[in-house]
Amino acid sequence: MALQLSNLEHLPGYQITERLDVVYGSTVRSKHVGKDLFAGLKNIVGGELTAYTELLEESRQEAIDRMVVKAEALGADAVVGLRFSTSSIAQGASELFVYGTAVKAVPMPDPAPQPPHRHDDSSRPPQAATTQPRAVPADDLPRFNPFG
């Protein structure tokens, strides 16, 4: 299985078998002077600052790649709870930081289909079939993550 990344605290369809460690990656980037001048002009008329968008995309990918190298070195199958953070390091330079928890995970088996449950109550008169919601055990419900 290729290393999987998830911002959830679990990995859908997989059972986490071991928590390995927190892993992270970061990069510090500065703005290009020529692109910064063009962005300043674009800021006057409005619109997307594509030079900064590209810079941030490259920064995110580099930080993720560095984190993945650390997770793979631990023998991880996945990184869960993935988060990004940014901070200003110096005038015109920022750090992009990504972190999560490296885990071992195995695919969960597909549940076997259950036959319909039948009640044999001959003392009750026949009734029209009604659809009632099935009770689902709390362990089978997906977890809610407000930071998702």
Side-chain angles (χ1 to χ4, degrees):
M1 158 168 93
L3 189 83
Q4 296 191 45
L5 304 176
S6 175
N7 65 334
L8 303 173
E9 300 301 322
H10 64 285
L11 199 57
Y14 289 81
Q15 175 69 41
I16 293 174
T17 59
E18 186 179 354
R19 178 199 169 278
L20 299 172
D21 203 358
V22 172
V23 289
Y24 64 89
S26 69
T27 184
V28 176
R29 297 284 184 105
S30 64
K31 298 179 275 188
H32 182 278
V33 175
K35 290 182 180 181
D36 198 34
L37 288 173
F38 180 72
L41 295 173
K42 184 77 167 187
N43 203 18
I44 294 171
V45 297
E48 181 181 8
L49 304 175
T50 55
Y52 290 155
T53 300
E54 291 168 6
L55 178 67
L56 283 172
E57 180 59 33
E58 291 169 6
S59 299
R60 275 190 293 271
Q61 193 58 56
E62 185 172 340
I64 288 171
D65 291 345
R66 290 176 178 175
M67 179 192 65
V68 165
V69 167
K70 290 177 182 176
E72 288 174 338
L74 294 173
D77 297 314
V79 177
V80 296
L82 195 67
R83 301 289 184 266
F84 287 92
S85 176
T86 59
S87 61
S88 180
I89 300 296
Q91 180 68 28
S94 296
E95 176 188 37
L96 194 134
F97 188 76
V98 61
Y99 60 97
T101 303
V103 298
K104 293 283 223 174
V106 294
M108 292 192 307
D110 290 331
Q114 300 292 324
H117 186 69
R118 300 185 71 167
H119 293 283
D120 186 21
D121 192 357
S122 57
S123 64
R124 295 173 101 191
Q127 296 181 359
T130 59
T131 305
Q132 295 181 0
R134 277 187 28 221
V136 177
D139 292 341
D140 292 347
L141 295 175
R143 295 185 191 176
F144 172 72
N145 182 354
F147 304 106

